[in-house]
């Protein structure tokens, strides 16, 4: 799947859905830096894409960047609230609470 999406990107196709697909594919493979890069581009195209914010935070967390993960989830909560995505809002709120508990 990633190969075909990368080919589309190479041909000049670039949008939030393509970037989300690439980010998800790389996240599933554990390639968190590539995943974060694609999710960042995704939310650049569509700042209201709450699922992308959620996974961007997960990729950042996996990279050990708690500050970036927090920022992604905080922005994701705002995006989710803006268009009534209660489930994504709830999930990211839980992630933020878990981050708070990790603080020394």
């Amino acid at each position: 799947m990633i190969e075909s999406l990368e080919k589309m990107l190479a041909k000049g196709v670039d949008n939030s859905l393509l970037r989300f697909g690439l980010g998800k594919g790389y996240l599933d493979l554990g390639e968190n830096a590539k995943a974060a890069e694609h999710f960042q581009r995704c939310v650049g195209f569509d700042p209201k894409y709450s699922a992308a914010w959620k996974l961007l935070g997960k990729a950042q967390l996996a990279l050990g960047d708690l500050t970036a993960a927090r920022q992604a989830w905080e922005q994701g909560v705002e995006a989710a609230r803006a268009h009534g995505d209660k489930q994504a809002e709830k999930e990211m709120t839980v992630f933020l609470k878990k981050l708070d508990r990790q603080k020394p």
Side-chain angles (χ1 to χ4, degrees):
M1 177 189 135
I2 288 178
E3 297 82 22
S4 59
L5 294 176
E6 286 285 6
K7 283 180 187 170
M8 289 173 67
L9 189 61
K11 287 180 184 173
V13 176
D14 199 0
N15 57 48
S16 59
L17 199 57
L18 178 67
R19 292 294 184 154
F20 183 84
L22 283 165
K24 177 84 172 81
Y26 283 118
L27 189 64
D28 290 346
L29 291 174
E31 294 189 38
N32 300 308
K34 279 186 177 181
E37 179 186 326
H38 288 295
F39 288 130
Q40 198 68 58
R41 295 295 298 271
C42 177
V43 296
F45 281 115
D46 184 358
K48 295 183 187 120
Y49 205 144
S50 53
W53 285 114
K54 180 175 81 172
L55 295 181
L56 173 59
K58 284 189 170 201
Q60 298 288 17
L61 183 65
L63 290 168
D65 191 340
L66 303 186
T67 302
R70 174 177 301 285
Q71 289 171 341
W73 289 330
E74 286 172 349
Q75 290 180 270
V77 166
E78 291 305 311
R81 280 189 189 134
H83 62 86
D85 188 349
K86 297 285 184 206
Q87 183 61 35
E89 180 185 343
K90 238 184 264 184
E91 288 177 39
M92 287 183 276
T93 300
V94 169
F95 297 157
L96 286 166
K97 285 178 182 170
K98 286 181 181 176
L99 267 188
D100 288 340
R101 287 195 295 263
Q102 286 183 14
K103 285 187 176 178

